[in-house]
Each structure stands twice: as structure tokens, then as C-alpha cells.
Amino acid sequence: SGCEATDNVTITVNPAPVITLGVDTTLCFGTTFTLDGGAGFTAYLWNDGTSAQTLDVTAAGLYTVTVTDAAGCTGSDDVEISYYPQIPTPSVSQVGNTLQSSSPTGNQWYAVPGGLIAGATGDTYSPPQNGVFYVVVTDSNGCSSAPSPDFNFINTGIGSVANALVTIAPNPANQYITIETSGVADNKVQ
């Protein structure tokens, strides 16, 4: 019968949301890293099933987030998180009047109280006085160990001096003694 009908429809193509979790990252052992899905989306879905905007990462793995915008469009991104090996906690021992770290490199010595001892970065440290000390080891990646247990350093004696003479009187002593030296430079005795 020759009838015709027409209709039209407008199609709008919404762009998919752009989400960037960042580059693959290697972290120091024990570090918590926060991934952020970005603000402004109506929904988030991480590969572990959680649905918050952010995810705190504490283990190595591939992490993926899918976001949904107000138009119902989705986008996703993933990132690989890995960890450097854990640095063993160092121990401290005393050899004579010197403290010895169990680590041959990367040491930084600390006093309690007082904190960091400037320049004390070798595997040994000779404290100028009795006290409590510990050491932290940092590797080539910038990762640090846990602090060693505190070590109570006690000076174990007097170093030897060639051609020195020390006289102590009276012997036996009751309350006071006199110490006379020769061949030794004047020093403060503690």
C-alpha cells in the first residue's frame, strides 16, 4: 500500500574512564603501600573483592582495580607490587672496648638516649664512654633493618701504654689512694 515510516535515534558514546595506578613498584620489606583508584567514580572493585577508593598493599602481587563512572562506563588498570628481601636484624657484640656489628656493611650506630652518632658507619664502633648503643643496617636499595637489641657497653679496662709507670699507694688502702704516673700524657680519668 506504499506506506512509509521513519524514525531516528541519537547514539552518544561515552569515553571509558581513564584510571592509572602507576608504574610497577618494588618496596622495602614490611612497607605498606596505598594504591588509589582516583577520585570521582561511583564504584570501585579491586581484585581482592574490596570496593573502597584506596587499597593498602602489604604483600607482593598483581593488583587490579575496575572503576565505574556516573554514566555506567567502566575502566581498569593494574600494577605489580614486589618487595626487596627482608634485611636480617643485626646483633651487637663487644670485643675488648669495641662494639662489633654482625653486618659487615651498611651500619649506622645510635646511642640511647641521643640517637644517631654522626660518622659512626663502620662495622665496629668504639664508644668514648659507657652507655647503651644499637645499630641499624641499610642496604643498597635504601631499605633498613630493624634496630639491633640495645647493647649495654661497659669499658672493660685501660689500654696499654708503652714505657708507662703507674704507682698506687697506699696498699692496702682504707679510704683514699694516690695514683702517680710517668711516661703518660695528662688525661682526664673517669
Side-chain angles (χ1 to χ4, degrees):
S1 55
C3 298
E4 289 185 13
T6 61
D7 193 11
N8 59 36
V9 64
T10 300
I11 305 288
T12 301
V13 177
N14 293 316
V18 176
I19 173 69
T20 303
L21 289 177
V23 298
D24 294 347
T25 302
T26 303
L27 305 167
C28 295
F29 182 86
T31 302
T32 298
F33 188 71
T34 301
L35 296 173
D36 192 337
F41 299 109
T42 59
Y44 302 85
L45 181 61
W46 296 89
N47 58 321
D48 69 350
T50 58
S51 58
Q53 177 181 330
T54 60
L55 178 69
D56 288 338
V57 173
T58 57
L62 181 67
Y63 292 88
T64 304
V65 66
T66 301
V67 298
T68 305
D69 66 12
C73 299
T74 61
S76 65
D77 191 26
D78 57 40
V79 64
E80 181 80 29
I81 303 295
S82 56
Y83 285 86
Y84 294 112
Q86 181 177 10
I87 300 170
T89 300
S91 62
V92 175
S93 58
Q94 184 171 344
V95 179
N97 288 318
T98 301
L99 296 177
Q100 175 78 46
S101 169
S102 60
S103 176
T105 60
N107 295 285
Q108 175 60 64
W109 292 91
Y110 295 81
V112 179
L116 184 140
I117 303 169
T121 57
D123 63 338
T124 61
Y125 174 64
S126 297
Q129 61 197 24
N130 294 345
V132 177
F133 301 90
Y134 66 92
V135 68
V136 173
V137 175
T138 301
D139 69 10
S140 60
N141 299 310
C143 300
S144 296
S145 69
S148 69
D150 288 351
F151 191 92
N152 188 15
F153 171 78
I154 299 173
N155 188 313
T156 59
I158 300 171
S160 63
V161 178
N163 300 319
L165 177 64
V166 177
T167 305
I168 300 174
N171 186 5
N174 186 9
Q175 290 182 343
Y176 299 99
I177 62 171
T178 301
I179 301 175
E180 293 181 4
T181 63
S182 63
V184 179
D186 289 341
N187 286 303
K188 179 179 179 183
V189 177
Q190 295 182 344

